[in-house]
Amino acid sequence: MIRYMIKNNFKLMGRSWLNAFMLILCPLIVSAVLISAFSALMAKYEKAENFSCGYSFEEGSPWKNGEAMLKETGLSAGIRFLPFSGDEPEETIRENDLGGFVTFGSSGYTVYRTEDQKVEGMTLEYFLSEFVDQAMDAATGNASSEETVKLSVEHPEFVPAVDSRDYYGMVYVLYFAWCAFAGAAALLSNEKKYGIGKRFQVSNLSDTQIYLGKLLPISLVVIVDIGIAILLSTASFGVHWGNPLIVVGLLLVMIPAAVALSLMVHSITDNVIGTIVVIFALVWIWGFFGGSFETYMFADHPKIIKLLSPIYHCNRSMVELASMGRSDYYLSAILYCGGLAVGCSLLAIAIMKMKRRGRA
Amino acid sequence: METILKLTDLTKKYGNKVVVDNLNIEIQKGEIFGLLGPNGAGKSTTMNMICNIVRPTLGSVEFFGKDFRKNRKELSKKLGYIPQDLAIHGRLKAWENVELFTSLYGIKGKELKERIDESLEYVGLLDRKNEYAKNFSGGMKRRLNIACAIGHHPDLLIFDEPTVGIDPQSRNFILERIKKSNQNGATVIYTSHYMEEVEAICTRIAIMDNGKIIATGTSEELKKLVVEDPSTITLEEVFLTLTGKKLRDI
């Protein structure tokens, strides 16, 4: 019965230029600006393959015996180890433009790294962890028959190789998809202004049908617009979106979640402007902690706050899927958005029923 | 006579404010029932309660002998509501508006297409069916507003001030259509501030004030409440006598 409602609401949304502006042009414009602005910065983060590191041994350190192997294995992984006294590691890093510093003690080692060369520091940590593991295996007789230790640290898992074009190209299309309500604002505003909602209430549609008659067409229009934005971002900036099926899978859950959230807030406020303010504030906060403004890889926000943001899960899964081909965050993004879509929908319908009773 | 609509002790309170106070009305099949009242009298709230947009605090709305709220799915198909607002989408074409609102009652496919043309023909807009509603004049929008409510062939039509702000030709056309709908078997509830309209088309009139019905009857009967010779007074004078001349700012 709501087929015609969905069809006509789809037409209404599609005939609004605001949708095309908000969901196609805006993400492309913002992406273009940020891709250009941060290309040099992100390129710097990427070039972590060849760098120098300082090292020192404390008196009597057993690691001294593996010094030659450390240097040789380091070189094969693109890390040149340079010996220093080890008195003041931080100053040594700064003065010699090192990617990091490691001091080997009697039973362990300490890694020093700087914020300026975060990727190099993380790469060094990763390298040492692998090196020590394999050295321990060798000491306990679990090593392979090869005489030398070979490590590959080209792209440690925690630092996906992604440039500003891919990162901002994806992140801003996703960000604007979360602002989907802007496109539906005209439709909902008209419904209220002209008392069109009364016609729906007089008809024999249930509150669930009335709700779905909005959720589905709005989601559909946003999916189409975002799909166009994705195609244009690929054509114009060469953004790599990875596996198209996986991208579509995430969008099919994420966009209804964004729309359901907006409709739920709208059912509470019963006011389009109020809803826009609440949604934009919420999406901004989620975007702030989710990597929309500062790349999530290098942001210093507490992990728990990042995890609370659905945008973080979506950004991270999309970026990692495109750059590494896999992501531990894909499932959590799907589950988070799916839960949000269902939860917000149930709440919105419950509020609609309560309001009808309240009015009533 | 078959009772189409029965309001029993219908009351609506918002907080301590009683908007509709213990209303009892029976409307018979074939009537054109006029509901008059100054601003804030409770007309719209009563209409909204009849249409199940607002739930009564007390009392019941019976439609064809059945409680409307409990049988909404079945009974709403028999009801056509023409709101005072122009409840149409300007960015939809005329036929799309009628399609949207007629389909809400389960009509689809070929039958829906026939009903769309029939409704538009009824209000004289068939030749403009492919035009966007936003380009229509006030009178055309009012007629489209009506077309959107009659496609499912309701037995009871509720008109909430359907002639506000339109030219005399459009008003005359709408009133003629209301009479024709009534002749075709529809029962009509009609509210308006235009007394001559109400007098011209309504078979029975109720005057409402402060949430209560203060007088009911035919135009003649209402006039006789005020003067002995009904030809010496207009319905508007009766209305002002019964409700007073004090401005109603709400």
Side-chain angles (χ1 to χ4, degrees), chain B residues 84-140:
Chain B
Q84 184 183 346
D85 297 314
L86 291 168
I88 51 176
H89 283 293
R91 278 207 174 91
L92 287 182
K93 293 170 183 172
W95 74 269
E96 290 170 337
N97 269 295
V98 181
E99 180 193 56
L100 170 62
F101 297 116
T102 305
S103 70
L104 300 179
Y105 298 90
I107 299 161
K108 55 190 174 188
K110 194 176 166 222
E111 189 187 5
L112 180 59
K113 282 183 182 167
E114 288 169 1
R115 297 285 184 96
I116 293 166
D117 283 355
E118 179 192 291
S119 302
L120 288 169
E121 167 89 68
Y122 194 75
V123 297
L125 288 173
L126 187 58
D127 56 338
R128 314 290 292 266
K129 66 184 279 187
N130 288 315
E131 289 181 32
Y132 286 103
K134 65 180 176 184
N135 297 329
F136 283 0
S137 67
M140 289 164 77

Side-chain angles (χ1 to χ4, degrees), chain A residues 1 4-5 7-8 11-12 15 194 196 199-205 209 356-357 359-360, chain B residues 12 53-55 72-73 76-77 81 85-87 89 91 96 99 101 103-104 109 112 132 145:
Chain A
M1 194 194 293
Y4 296 96
M5 190 177 170
K7 186 180 89 172
N8 284 297
K11 284 182 188 174
L12 281 167
R15 287 171 187 169
Y194 299 114
I196 291 165
R199 282 203 195 271
F200 296 135
Q201 287 175 342
V202 174
S203 74
N204 53 0
L205 290 185
Q209 286 174 311
R356 196 197 279 257
R357 283 199 199 104
R359 272 194 295 267
Chain B
K12 183 65 192 176
I53 297 167
V54 163
R55 188 181 285 184
R72 190 169 73 91
K73 281 257 172 195
S76 59
K77 289 181 181 177
Y81 173 60
D85 297 314
L86 291 168
H89 283 293
R91 278 207 174 91
E96 290 170 337
E99 180 193 56
F101 297 116
S103 70
L104 300 179
L112 180 59
Y132 286 103
N145 204 27

Side-chain angles (χ1 to χ4, degrees), chain B residues 49-248:
Chain B
M49 285 193 284
I50 291 171
C51 295
N52 200 35
I53 297 167
V54 163
R55 188 181 285 184
T57 309
L58 287 170
S60 66
V61 177
E62 273 183 32
F63 197 27
F64 286 93
K66 292 179 181 174
D67 188 302
F68 194 15
R69 263 172 48 207
K70 290 175 185 164
N71 300 278
R72 190 169 73 91
K73 281 257 172 195
E74 175 199 343
L75 295 175
S76 59
K77 289 181 181 177
K78 296 173 183 282
L79 178 68
Y81 173 60
I82 297 94
Q84 184 183 346
D85 297 314
L86 291 168
I88 51 176
H89 283 293
R91 278 207 174 91
L92 287 182
K93 293 170 183 172
W95 74 269
E96 290 170 337
N97 269 295
V98 181
E99 180 193 56
L100 170 62
F101 297 116
T102 305
S103 70
L104 300 179
Y105 298 90
I107 299 161
K108 55 190 174 188
K110 194 176 166 222
E111 189 187 5
L112 180 59
K113 282 183 182 167
E114 288 169 1
R115 297 285 184 96
I116 293 166
D117 283 355
E118 179 192 291
S119 302
L120 288 169
E121 167 89 68
Y122 194 75
V123 297
L125 288 173
L126 187 58
D127 56 338
R128 314 290 292 266
K129 66 184 279 187
N130 288 315
E131 289 181 32
Y132 286 103
K134 65 180 176 184
N135 297 329
F136 283 0
S137 67
M140 289 164 77
K141 284 178 183 169
R142 285 272 163 213
R143 278 144 58 198
L144 181 58
N145 204 27
I146 294 170
C148 291
I150 59 174
H152 60 290
H153 292 172
D155 294 300
L156 176 64
L157 280 165
I158 297 181
F159 289 87
D160 193 358
E161 301 190 32
T163 58
V164 172
I166 57 174
D167 61 63
Q169 285 79 7
S170 294
R171 179 180 299 174
N172 180 61
F173 183 89
I174 289 171
L175 294 179
E176 288 299 323
R177 288 299 160 185
I178 291 171
K179 280 197 272 189
K180 190 176 175 190
S181 296
N182 180 247
Q183 284 158 8
N184 291 343
T187 304
V188 175
I189 301 178
Y190 188 86
T191 73
S192 176
H193 286 299
Y194 300 115
M195 301 295 160
E196 69 280 14
E197 279 181 10
V198 175
E199 198 167 8
I201 66 166
C202 293
T203 52
R204 195 155 62 101
I205 300 162
I207 296 176
M208 199 173 173
D209 198 14
N210 296 317
K212 292 180 178 175
I213 298 285
I214 53 172
T216 317
T218 62
S219 172
E220 294 287 301
E221 286 167 347
L222 291 176
K223 286 175 181 174
K224 282 182 181 173
L225 290 175
V226 180
V227 292
E228 278 189 15
D229 180 6
S231 64
T232 61
I233 193 168
T234 64
L235 187 61
E236 186 155 338
E237 286 168 327
V238 174
F239 180 81
L240 287 171
T241 306
L242 293 174
T243 60
K245 291 184 179 176
K246 190 182 168 195
L247 288 174
R248 305 300 178 93

Side-chain angles (χ1 to χ4, degrees), chain A residues 144-161:
Chain A
S144 64
S145 58
E146 291 179 41
E147 288 181 355
T148 54
V149 176
K150 286 182 179 171
L151 294 176
S152 172
V153 287
E154 283 175 57
H155 299 297
E157 287 185 354
F158 44 82
V159 189

Side-chain angles (χ1 to χ4, degrees), chain A residues 86-156:
Chain A
D87 291 340
E88 291 186 22
E90 291 92 344
E91 204 167 306
T92 308
I93 290 174
R94 222 172 14 254
E95 285 174 359
N96 298 280
D97 195 24
L98 299 173
F101 197 95
V102 55
T103 56
F104 292 96
S106 55
S107 59
Y109 62 88
T110 307
V111 174
Y112 296 86
R113 60 187 209 197
T114 62
E115 277 301 308
D116 291 345
Q117 307 217 42
K118 206 170 180 177
V119 175
E120 286 83 350
M122 292 167 87
T123 307
L124 175 63
E125 267 190 24
Y126 176 83
F127 170 83
L128 285 167
S129 165
E130 289 289 299
F131 179 78
V132 168
D133 278 354
Q134 292 198 28
M136 292 296 282
D137 284 346
T140 54
N142 293 330
S144 64
S145 58
E146 291 179 41
E147 288 181 355
T148 54
V149 176
K150 286 182 179 171
L151 294 176
S152 172
V153 287
E154 283 175 57
H155 299 297

